[in-house]
Amino acid sequence: MLKTTAVAATFCAVAGAGIVGYGETTAQAAQAQTPTQSQAQAQAQTQSASSTAARHGDGHSFSGTKKIRVGGYSVNVSCSGRSAARKPVVVLMAGGGDGLDTMAGLQKTLSEKARVCSYDQLGEGESDQPHGTQTIDDSSRILTGVLDRVTGDRPVVLAGHSLGGLIAARYAPDHRDRVKGLVLMDATIPALTAGVSKAIPDSATGMAAELRDQTIAVNEGQNPEKFVIADAKVRSAGNIPVQIIRHESQYAEVPDYGPALEEMWAEGQEQWRALSGRSRISVAAGSGHYIHVDRPDIAVKAIQRVTAQATAHS
């Protein structure tokens, strides 16, 4: 079971520690849960936060970790580093099943030369539990609220791992006014349910069948974030710089279907290139799913390069 969940983590929404780590994470989030509010109230608060974005200027220039209110929820955010004129703020987005702490090392290094923020998705870390099932629209509203508070009207570069990468990639096309660059670190692929169903057919048994069924269940919302991952086409985010980085090897634990899974994953990463005419894709040599942990040097250089490109075109 441990091997199965470790492999499933690669292309599930809940990449990272895997399903085996959910109990502790969910318990932590439950402690911070606030009383349920109506969806109308939550939406009104989100709209209110968005409408005041112009008054935020460069955003709150705090350093450290704090809780902010977004759409009726308490969201845990961390910011460090100093802002520079015309330079975008880097926003790190952790994968499913992970909190902002998994980005701490990357944030520390990047903040030596840039302003960097990260946050816990609802259902993770120190942020509130979601009131119900979440869709990409829900996560986008939370991200907008976070950006309004911590970056104001400053341009941003979103750098996401796994599920965080998928959310960033889905968010950018509708927010070209503020998203000026993307770095996707082994981002969850655009059509994961269809992909895994094809790579591991119904005739499969044992660990492979368990992996397929587990992945589909997670995509349907059986994860701490209660996040539903729907297959969808990739939409353009304009001509912004986009760096796509995928793992070198991850599926050795399912030898019968490993090659098909690697092909599925590689094809899915290629699909993200449709985000921009300035998309680049590379393989992180020696890396598994956690590229920013296995090869932080590659992650840092990619984010710094995209940030520099975004600054030059601002």
Side-chain angles (χ1 to χ4, degrees):
M1 182 61 180
L2 291 176
K3 290 183 178 180
T4 301
T5 53
V7 177
T10 303
F11 52 92
C12 287
V14 289
I19 294 175
V20 293
Y22 287 174
E24 180 179 356
T25 305
T26 303
Q28 291 173 343
Q31 292 176 359
Q33 188 172 4
T34 57
T36 300
Q37 298 184 19
S38 68
Q39 292 183 346
Q41 288 176 312
Q43 184 175 5
Q45 286 182 297
T46 299
Q47 291 173 342
S48 175
S50 297
S51 66
T52 59
R55 297 202 299 270
H56 293 147
D58 289 345
H60 297 316
S61 58
F62 70 93
S63 291
T65 303
K66 66 182 295 184
K67 303 285 183 65
I68 63 174
R69 299 295 297 179
V70 177
Y73 293 100
S74 175
V75 178
N76 191 45
V77 299
S78 172
C79 289
S80 54
R82 304 176 69 177
S83 298
R86 297 175 54 245
K87 193 171 186 178
V89 177
V90 176
V91 178
L92 303 176
M93 302 176 65
D98 291 331
L100 61 80
D101 58 311
T102 64
M103 292 290 185
L106 188 60
Q107 181 168 333
K108 181 179 180 180
T109 300
L110 290 168
S111 62
E112 294 175 0
K113 298 181 179 180
R115 177 73 171 167
V116 187
C117 296
S118 58
Y119 70 103
D120 288 327
Q121 297 283 348
L122 297 183
E124 293 298 344
E126 296 298 322
S127 289
D128 282 349
Q129 290 277 7
H131 301 323
T133 299
Q134 294 191 88
T135 66
I136 194 68
D137 291 337
D138 297 314
S139 66
S140 292
R141 283 191 288 270
I142 294 297
L143 176 54
T144 293
V146 170
L147 295 182
D148 286 346
R149 293 291 300 277
V150 302
T151 70
D153 54 10
R154 292 284 302 278
V156 300
V157 167
L158 301 180
H161 168 245
S162 195
L163 176 62
L166 179 139
I167 293 173
R170 298 296 192 203
Y171 184 84
D174 294 325
H175 299 85
R176 301 186 189 188
D177 58 328
R178 72 194 319 170
V179 180
K180 302 304 180 182
L182 289 170
V183 179
L184 308 181
M185 296 173 283
D186 227 28
T188 301
I189 62 176
L192 177 56
T193 296
V196 72
S197 297
K198 179 180 178 181
I200 305 178
D202 291 339
S203 59
T205 59
M207 181 182 294
E210 184 179 355
L211 175 60
R212 179 199 60 222
D213 294 345
Q214 184 182 82
T215 302
I216 293 173
V218 166
N219 292 350
E220 293 174 346
Q222 295 182 36
N223 53 71
E225 299 94 337
K226 299 179 182 178
F227 189 89
V228 176
I229 302 180
D231 291 355
K233 293 182 178 180
V234 178
R235 295 182 297 124
S236 174
N239 201 36
I240 63 174
V242 177
Q243 178 65 58
I244 303 156
I245 314 171
R246 68 176 177 87
H247 68 255
E248 180 177 41
S249 177
Q250 183 67 27
Y251 298 109
E253 297 293 346
V254 280
D256 291 342
Y257 298 97
L261 291 170
E262 290 290 3
E263 181 179 2
M264 172 204 74
W265 195 255
E267 290 177 352
Q269 298 302 310
E270 286 288 341
Q271 290 172 16
W272 285 127
R273 297 187 70 169
L275 281 162
S276 171
R278 296 170 64 194
S279 295
R280 297 177 55 185
I281 189 166
S282 61
V283 177
S287 174
H289 186 50
Y290 276 74
I291 292 170
H292 57 296
V293 175
D294 297 338
R295 290 299 307 271
D297 56 322
I298 291 177
V300 168
K301 289 179 181 178
I303 295 170
Q304 290 177 336
R305 181 170 57 250
V306 168
T307 302
Q309 293 171 339
T311 303
H313 286 80
S314 64

